[in-house]
Amino acid sequence: MNTAPDEASAALAQIRDHQERVIRAALIPNWYWWAIGVGMVAIGAAADTRRPVVLGVVIPIVALGMVGLTIAMILGVGRGARIKSSELLGGRGALLIVASDWLIVGLTIGTAFALRALRVPEPATIATAAGALVLVILGPALSRKLNKIMMDNRAGLPK
Amino acid sequence: MSTAKFDELIHPPTRLAIISLLAASEWADFKFIRDEVKLSDSALSKQLTTLETAGYVEIRKGFVGKRPRTSAKLTALGRTAFVAHVAALQEIVERSGASVIPQ
């Protein structure tokens, strides 16, 4: 073996580039956050009608829609290559995902109860709209952060 | 800390590209690798067979519906060899006084 430093450096750059492509391909698309946000607001608006028929129709449709979109997003993101998510995300990535979920759920439910206590009209619609707004802002930021964590955890490369 | 070991089998650019993709993946679809590495089907098959023979890659053939689907994953041996090869490349670069961290 007689490899020149330039060749070794180029090989390392090639490795970095290919791994980044796999990780970038796993980024959650922005449309997903918007779609889930719209679904949240639809549920909130249905809840504010206080009509069981509306709730009975809207909630199952939106829930099914969200599940369908999530499956479509996962299949789309996972098409071609499934990243080593557990290894690349690590505990920090998993914690970040759980914390973000709880933040949005907590914010939405907390806002809804607070608005209801204050007798503000349409509390669920306003609260889910606030939650959805946070989701569409936080979601892409979360994706970028997870992307960075995965880049940092790539096998064998300098951090 | 891994032991640095230059691997002649991994080092050629095409195989290095394939192994790099697989090192970040649980598995990767044949078409995905082919498109990313920009190889023909036959050239990729040949490279994957070489890596499989060395025990670095596991090839899975299955069906999605009625369509055949081939995917590949890095074995534990392949991962160890890849990490050792990357360490060897880093050593070469470091010995020259250059930084291994991209600017």
Side-chain angles (χ1 to χ4, degrees):
Chain A
M1 183 273 289
N2 193 8
T3 303
D6 284 353
E7 188 190 336
S9 187
L12 287 170
Q14 187 196 3
I15 292 166
R16 239 174 246 118
D17 178 53
H18 280 101
Q19 295 202 323
E20 281 175 12
R21 285 195 219 176
V22 175
I23 292 168
R24 267 201 304 271
L27 204 63
I28 297 170
N30 281 349
W31 64 259
Y32 177 75
W33 306 112
W34 284 93
I36 297 298
V38 168
M40 285 170 63
V41 177
I43 289 174
D48 279 335
T49 66
R50 293 173 183 263
R51 291 167 61 185
V53 177
V54 176
L55 284 170
V57 172
V58 172
I59 289 177
I61 289 173
V62 172
L64 281 173
M66 284 180 169
V67 170
L69 285 171
T70 302
I71 291 170
M73 184 274 291
I74 290 169
L75 291 176
V77 163
R79 185 175 296 143
R82 185 186 300 151
I83 57 163
K84 289 185 83 70
S85 49
S86 55
E87 183 181 310
L88 290 172
L89 282 174
R92 201 167 131 233
L95 193 68
L96 206 58
I97 293 169
V98 172
S100 303
D101 287 348
W102 279 104
L103 174 72
I104 289 165
V105 170
L107 175 86
T108 305
I109 293 174
T111 305
F113 278 113
L115 292 173
R116 194 174 167 195
L118 293 169
R119 298 185 183 281
V120 173
E122 317 293 339
T125 307
I126 296 170
T128 49
L133 183 67
V134 173
L135 182 71
V136 296
I137 294 168
L138 192 69
L142 174 68
S143 286
R144 286 193 298 275
K145 183 68 186 170
L146 294 176
N147 198 258
K148 183 171 182 322
I149 289 171
M150 289 192 282
M151 295 283 192
D152 289 346
N153 288 341
R154 287 172 298 175
L157 285 173
K159 305 292 184 276
Chain B
M1 187 69 189
S2 64
T3 311
K5 185 173 180 291
F6 193 91
D7 194 315
E8 296 282 1
L9 189 86
I10 291 177
H11 191 61
T14 307
R15 281 189 219 134
L16 190 61
I18 296 167
I19 294 274
S20 302
L21 287 174
L22 295 178
S25 318
E26 295 279 356
W27 57 262
D29 194 64
F30 184 91
K31 286 179 187 168
F32 178 83
I33 304 170
R34 180 196 64 194
D35 294 345
E36 287 293 330
V37 182
K38 296 181 175 59
L39 285 177
S40 65
D41 285 4
S42 59
L44 178 58
S45 287
K46 193 178 161 194
Q47 298 296 347
L48 284 175
T49 302
T50 303
L51 292 168
E52 187 183 29
T53 305
Y56 288 177
V57 163
E58 180 188 331
I59 312 280
R60 286 190 301 183
K61 292 182 191 248
F63 284 86
V64 178
K66 289 181 178 176
R67 304 175 77 177
R69 182 170 180 172
T70 303
S71 56
K73 72 176 283 189
L74 203 60
T75 61
L77 180 67
R79 177 164 291 274
T80 304
F82 171 72
V83 171
H85 185 67
V86 170
L89 293 172
Q90 287 171 350
E91 272 188 6
I92 294 167
V93 174
E94 279 165 0
R95 272 203 303 268
S96 74
S99 170
V100 293
I101 298 168
Q103 302 303 308

